[in-house]
Amino acid sequence: MIHTYSGETIHFEIKYKNRKSIAIHMDVYGNVEVQAPKGTQDDKVIQLLEARWELIQEKSKEMKDRLLGQQEKEYSQEERVLYLGNTYPVKVYQDTTIEQDYVVFDEKHINVYVKQVEDGKIKQALKRFYYQQCKAIVEKSVRSYQSNFKVKPRSIRISDSKTTLGTCDSQLQLTFNWKLAMAPMKVIDYVVVHEMCHMVHLNHDRSFWRLVGKISPDYKEQENWLALSSWKMTI
């Protein structure tokens, strides 16, 4: 079926089943399926769709964007970036008097101040901001979970890895990707706990996962966020 509302059109499929309520599902391609009790009138389905219209449009776009993969951002246009799990618009300001480009977060915007308004300069300033924030956030998180471990990390470093968000080597050196600062705080804490558990168990055996689950019981929720949203952690 097709329905247009608020100037937007969606295609959806209705399946009538032995159930008590109407439910809306979306697959990984952004396709919408409505499951409704047998005998449900179409107008009831439409009412629910319209009530959840904004969320459906948002999730559908997110799924389709995910399939396209990471797109190059153009800061001459209005761009948005992730910070601690939320997306914020990037505001760019030119200031030829500053010695170094910098970023200020004001709870509503990511404000970037640069000598030259160029995408490369803007990205460098953003990356430096995320490096600084990630280091401070991760170090605080490590301190808060240290009481769960008898061993301590020898060092905590921030990296620009293309493949991992965190690692722990045999020398107990913890390394975290600067992009981690884009994730929600619960996800950051989970990644920190995950790597700290490697100080005790270097592999992913049952003992490792038992320790992770003991310290972070909801870790699967955080892994789910990473599975669905880590592709958006880019500048």
Side-chain angles (χ1 to χ4, degrees):
M1 295 183 68
I2 299 175
H3 183 62
T4 300
Y5 179 71
S6 296
E8 299 284 347
T9 299
I10 63 167
H11 297 253
F12 65 96
E13 181 182 1
I14 301 180
K15 289 187 177 180
Y16 296 97
K17 299 189 173 186
N18 292 321
R19 54 181 300 127
K20 295 182 178 180
S21 60
I22 303 174
I24 299 174
H25 299 278
M26 189 175 295
D27 66 17
V28 295
Y29 302 102
N31 299 315
V32 178
E33 177 185 287
V34 179
Q35 295 182 4
K38 291 180 180 179
T40 301
Q41 306 229 342
D42 287 352
D43 61 345
K44 294 292 185 183
V45 173
I46 296 301
Q47 286 176 15
L48 182 61
L49 283 172
E50 292 182 354
R52 300 183 183 176
W53 197 261
E54 188 174 334
L55 180 61
I56 292 170
Q57 292 292 336
E58 179 184 331
K59 290 296 181 183
S60 180
K61 181 180 184 304
E62 182 177 307
M63 293 297 187
K64 290 171 183 176
D65 286 347
R66 185 183 178 199
L67 288 174
L68 291 173
Q70 295 181 356
Q71 302 296 303
E72 191 73 16
K73 292 185 184 294
E74 296 181 8
Y75 290 96
S76 56
Q77 309 297 322
E78 184 169 335
E79 288 286 0
R80 299 178 70 88
V81 294
L82 272 174
Y83 179 54
L84 295 180
N86 296 311
T87 57
Y88 296 96
V90 175
K91 300 289 186 181
V92 180
Y93 303 92
Q94 184 173 21
D95 185 348
T96 58
T97 67
I98 58 178
E99 293 185 7
Q100 185 181 53
D101 300 337
Y102 65 96
V103 173
V104 174
F105 174 60
D106 65 7
E107 307 295 333
K108 293 183 179 180
H109 307 93
I110 303 285
N111 301 292
V112 185
Y113 296 84
V114 290
K115 280 188 174 183
Q116 296 174 276
V117 181
E118 298 174 1
D119 281 352
K121 300 290 185 183
I122 295 166
K123 289 183 179 182
Q124 287 177 9
L126 283 168
K127 183 181 284 190
R128 190 160 49 247
F129 167 76
Y130 282 114
Y131 257 95
Q132 294 167 348
Q133 297 303 309
C134 186
K135 184 172 177 59
I137 293 167
V138 162
E139 287 180 346
K140 182 177 180 180
S141 183
V142 169
R143 288 195 299 271
S144 70
Y145 287 101
Q146 183 58 62
S147 61
N148 295 282
F149 302 91
K150 293 181 180 179
V151 293
K152 292 184 178 182
R154 289 192 177 183
S155 65
I156 301 171
R157 298 182 296 182
I158 307 302
S159 76
D160 191 18
S161 172
K162 304 298 181 185
T163 57
T164 62
L165 287 176
T167 61
C168 173
D169 64 22
S170 59
Q171 302 302 310
L172 305 187
Q173 296 180 113
L174 303 181
T175 303
F176 298 95
N177 195 310
W178 60 269
K179 292 181 181 179
L180 197 55
M182 296 183 176
M185 197 62 231
K186 283 190 173 183
V187 174
I188 298 174
D189 283 340
Y190 160 63
V191 175
V192 166
V193 167
H194 185 112
E195 299 312 325
M196 292 183 78
C197 286
H198 278 312
M199 297 190 302
V200 183
H201 305 284
L202 276 176
N203 54 21
H204 290 96
D205 60 11
R206 289 183 180 179
S207 297
F208 168 81
W209 287 113
R210 277 198 296 268
L211 182 57
V212 170
K214 180 181 177 182
I215 301 170
S216 182
D218 62 349
Y219 75 89
K220 288 187 178 180
E221 293 179 24
Q222 318 317 325
E223 286 195 329
N224 186 56
W225 187 94
L226 288 170
L228 294 175
S229 304
S230 60
W231 65 274
K232 295 187 290 187
M233 295 164 66
T234 184
I235 57 173

